[in-house]
Amino acid sequence: MKLLHKVIRFAVFAMILCTGPAALAKTILYVPQDNRPVDLAYTVSTAQDAGYTIITPPQKYLSGSNFKGSPEQLLQWVDAHAGEADAMVLSVDSLVYGGLVDSRKHNMDMATLVRRINEIEKIKNNHSHIPIYAFSTVMRSPWAGGQGVEPDYYLTYGNDIYELSALQSKMDEEGLNPQERTDWFNIVQRVPMEYLQDWYNRRRKNMMVNHILIQCAKKGIFTYFCLGHDDNSTHTQSALEAKYLETESKGVSNNVYGSFPGADQLGLLLITRASNDFNNYHPKITVIYPLGGGARTVPSYDGQEIGKTIKAHIEAVGGVITDKERPDLLLAVNTPLTTQTSESANFENFPIMLDSTKVFLGQIEKAIQAGIPVSIVDMAFSNGSDNTLVYGLYMDKIMYSLAAYNGWNTASNSVGYGVSQGILSKYMTADAHQRMLTTQYLDNWAYQANVRDYITRMQEKIKKNEEPQYFSTINAELQSRTKEQLQRYAKDYLGVDPRTIQVTLPWNRLFEVYVDVRAFPDIPLESRIREQMRQAENDRIKAQEDGAKAALSAAKQSSNSQNTVTAQAAVQQSAEADADEQQSDLQSQQIDQREELAQQQRIWSPSK
């Protein structure tokens, strides 16, 4: 009997030990809105590092930089693999349109879109025991369109269409004054009617799709449905449509439905919600701000006060905001002194330690010392980090004492990642956690706030033949230069082996970068590769010059005056090419030196 009691006690003890994160590890089927790193690679790696198995569709089905997604194949894939999962996190934009960019450019009829929504409902019926966490977006209204991410006419008429939609929004809210009515009429006259019809017809379809999805949430098809407002500035068509869609959600619990700014953070946010539901975990989160705009700040691209956005994100993951008890997570939100944000590449983003920043850092350090996980949302600037804040983290040696750090793209993007990574970090190993932080610092701070501006200047110089191009394409050349810079930042500022840092520009544009931080140092140093390519080019020109000299010597020995003249010209040409190459090398080295000095002035010199 004593032996039996011992066995029972051992079994109970083992069961208690196994109720930690590892035992609760689940499988999540995830369909992202495209294959960009923030939607796919970063989201998946964060979830995997937290102990989850993530299954994703073949990349050939996902929307990419130069190809459309395949919604029919994605729907079939989800239905075929749903039985392998404990939960599904689904981008409806991918399943209905093909992807986020596809939702802005498609020419599909409404019947096709509705049929695909019905297919999602069928998948739920076929796998009724598996919860679905779904997200969609209100189509954005950007002030201008980048190549390939909007209809082609948006490159020419994007600003006009943006202004028109702003006037439409103001007309709906408060009416237009005489000058605004004149502006509205002039834009309508200026933009070809077929373009306006195309744009508004697609928006109408997007509105109808989102209306149906809200009804699906009401019917219980989704455990949770999130409607993101993509690039949702105030007084835009997007803001107007989001307001009308809000009326459709009356009576729907915040535990079932959320609607707030942002798009790229939604996949990770809903994976975190699924994780919290698995663990019956409702994290208590305290939010702090530095002196300044604080919760009243209205960031660029978001269109509402950041306090409201943060509250909605915390509700979306099943958390609660508290300021009266010890929190599970401190969300430290770095806002500017004013209630508006500017771009991280602007001149004013250099380290100047204000008293407000010092106090803010002191609050963060106090929480860390008390054992409270701290996740920083760095939204003082849009599209990149605040150099002053990162400088303070660096000087106080707490960059790797944080639970999470995010300061990328829009403020809502950083909020979603900041909440999610802050919560999931507690399930990670120390090494995985360090790699996650390194990724964010190199992406958000090093690249977005500092290196990208340099790479943009180099792009222009290469196009003007003022800088050498060693790779066959300009994207490969810029990717190499970016990798060289980020490996340098990793070594000099983060104390990370640069040979663990792989860098690509996956969408062939400078807006985003993919930083892959490896567990082992198996990546060649890009500075060494570039030096070898530079030396190979010098050797080629030197060999050409030596060959020309040998030809001249042979011509002189043959006593053929015509050959001698030709050979002398070849020697002269080779000597000039060698001199040009040496001059180009010197100029390139001077540019690199000036650039490194400029970046150090913009940030700071690394500690030796």
Side-chain angles (χ1 to χ4, degrees), residues 540-562:
R540 183 188 67 79
I541 292 175
K542 184 65 168 61
Q544 184 176 322
E545 184 178 6
D546 291 344
K549 289 178 179 178
L552 175 60
S553 177
K556 288 179 178 179
Q557 292 178 7
S558 68
S559 301
N560 186 319
S561 59
Q562 182 60 43

Side-chain angles (χ1 to χ4, degrees), residues 6-52:
K6 287 182 178 180
V7 170
I8 292 173
R9 284 199 299 271
F10 178 81
V12 171
F13 181 69
M15 184 176 67
I16 292 172
L17 287 178
C18 291
T19 55
L24 294 175
K26 302 280 188 176
T27 296
I28 298 173
L29 182 149
Y30 173 52
V31 176
Q33 55 194 3
D34 51 45
N35 69 0
R36 285 173 299 147
V38 291
D39 294 309
L40 183 58
Y42 290 168
T43 294
V44 170
S45 64
T46 298
Q48 288 176 335
D49 287 343
Y52 291 100

Side-chain angles (χ1 to χ4, degrees), residues 428-484:
M428 297 179 183
T429 66
D431 287 344
H433 180 232
Q434 182 182 39
R435 288 195 298 271
M436 181 185 77
L437 285 169
T438 298
T439 298
Q440 297 306 104
Y441 287 130
L442 291 179
D443 185 315
N444 307 177
W445 169 61
Y447 181 73
Q448 301 292 353
N450 297 291
V451 172
R452 183 171 63 166
D453 193 45
Y454 156 66
I455 296 298
T456 301
R457 294 196 299 273
M458 293 301 101
Q459 184 180 44
E460 293 304 311
K461 290 181 180 297
I462 292 169
K463 289 179 179 178
K464 295 176 182 178
N465 293 319
E466 295 175 2
E467 271 284 287
Q469 178 179 324
Y470 296 117
F471 290 80
S472 59
T473 67
I474 192 167
N475 187 72
E477 176 67 28
L478 296 175
Q479 182 171 279
S480 170
R481 289 170 179 261
T482 302
K483 183 176 175 181
E484 179 183 32

Side-chain angles (χ1 to χ4, degrees), residues 43-286:
T43 294
V44 170
S45 64
T46 298
Q48 288 176 335
D49 287 343
Y52 291 100
T53 298
I54 307 296
I55 53 177
T56 56
Q59 285 220 31
K60 63 182 179 180
Y61 296 161
L62 299 177
S63 178
S65 62
N66 56 3
F67 52 86
K68 297 178 180 179
S70 305
E72 300 292 348
Q73 285 84 352
L74 284 171
L75 286 164
Q76 293 171 13
W77 180 87
V78 171
D79 195 30
H81 293 273
E84 303 168 24
D86 297 293
M88 291 183 273
V89 175
L90 306 178
S91 164
V92 180
D93 287 341
S94 288
L95 297 176
V96 171
Y97 308 108
L100 182 63
V101 171
D102 299 299
S103 72
R104 308 170 193 155
K105 299 170 61 178
H106 72 89
N107 292 303
M108 289 172 279
D109 57 60
M110 196 63 207
T112 298
L113 304 180
V114 171
R115 178 180 58 78
R116 289 172 179 166
I117 296 174
N118 291 337
E119 290 297 319
I120 298 174
E121 189 166 351
K122 289 179 183 177
I123 290 171
K124 176 59 179 177
N125 291 335
N126 293 340
H127 308 277
S128 58
H129 64 290
I130 302 173
I132 295 178
Y133 302 83
F135 60 102
S136 179
T137 57
V138 176
M139 186 175 158
R140 74 177 187 172
S141 303
W143 68 271
Q147 183 72 44
V149 297
E150 306 289 341
D152 290 342
Y153 57 75
Y154 217 91
L155 290 170
T156 304
Y157 295 104
N159 190 251
D160 280 332
I161 294 173
Y162 175 84
E163 293 295 337
L164 181 64
S165 71
L167 291 170
Q168 292 276 121
S169 177
K170 189 172 187 295
M171 183 189 302
D172 181 81
E173 293 174 0
E174 57 190 80
L176 302 179
N177 61 39
Q179 180 58 53
E180 289 167 338
R181 286 197 295 271
T182 299
D183 293 341
W184 184 91
F185 180 78
N186 288 339
I187 293 172
V188 170
Q189 290 291 102
R190 193 159 57 237
V191 181
M193 185 55 63
E194 62 267 28
Y195 295 160
L196 289 177
Q197 289 176 339
D198 176 79
W199 196 67
Y200 279 107
N201 282 340
R202 194 172 294 109
R203 301 197 70 91
R204 177 180 56 83
K205 293 174 185 177
N206 178 262
M207 280 277 288
M208 294 173 68
V209 165
N210 285 325
H211 171 83
I212 296 170
L213 293 172
I214 293 172
Q215 299 305 313
C216 289
K218 288 181 178 180
K219 292 191 297 183
I221 305 298
F222 308 130
T223 298
Y224 185 84
F225 173 62
C226 177
L227 182 61
H229 313 163
D230 190 13
D231 287 358
N232 185 55
S233 301
T234 54
H235 300 303
T236 62
Q237 188 69 22
S238 303
L240 182 64
E241 292 165 359
K243 183 180 71 173
Y244 281 114
L245 285 167
E246 279 297 298
T247 64
E248 299 298 327
S249 63
K250 297 298 183 184
V252 184
S253 167
N254 290 341
N255 194 48
V256 175
Y257 171 74
S259 178
F260 43 79
D264 296 341
Q265 80 276 22
L266 300 181
L268 183 58
L269 192 74
L270 296 196
I271 285 175
T272 305
R273 169 59 182 272
S275 171
N276 289 342
D277 285 353
F278 289 149
N279 291 279
N280 193 27
Y281 179 49
H282 303 283
K284 298 185 292 290
I285 300 175
T286 295

Side-chain angles (χ1 to χ4, degrees), residues 463-529:
K463 289 179 179 178
K464 295 176 182 178
N465 293 319
E466 295 175 2
E467 271 284 287
Q469 178 179 324
Y470 296 117
F471 290 80
S472 59
T473 67
I474 192 167
N475 187 72
E477 176 67 28
L478 296 175
Q479 182 171 279
S480 170
R481 289 170 179 261
T482 302
K483 183 176 175 181
E484 179 183 32
Q485 289 289 319
L486 296 195
Q487 286 183 336
R488 179 175 68 83
Y489 272 79
K491 177 177 180 292
D492 293 349
Y493 290 94
L494 303 180
V496 171
D497 190 333
R499 296 170 300 167
T500 62
I501 308 301
Q502 178 63 282
V503 178
T504 56
L505 300 173
W507 270 43
N508 297 322
R509 62 181 187 178
L510 301 184
F511 184 71
E512 65 256 304
V513 67
Y514 174 42
V515 180
D516 181 13
V517 182
R518 306 287 181 84
F520 301 99
D522 57 356
I523 307 297
L525 290 176
E526 197 66 17
S527 59
R528 195 166 296 167
I529 291 174

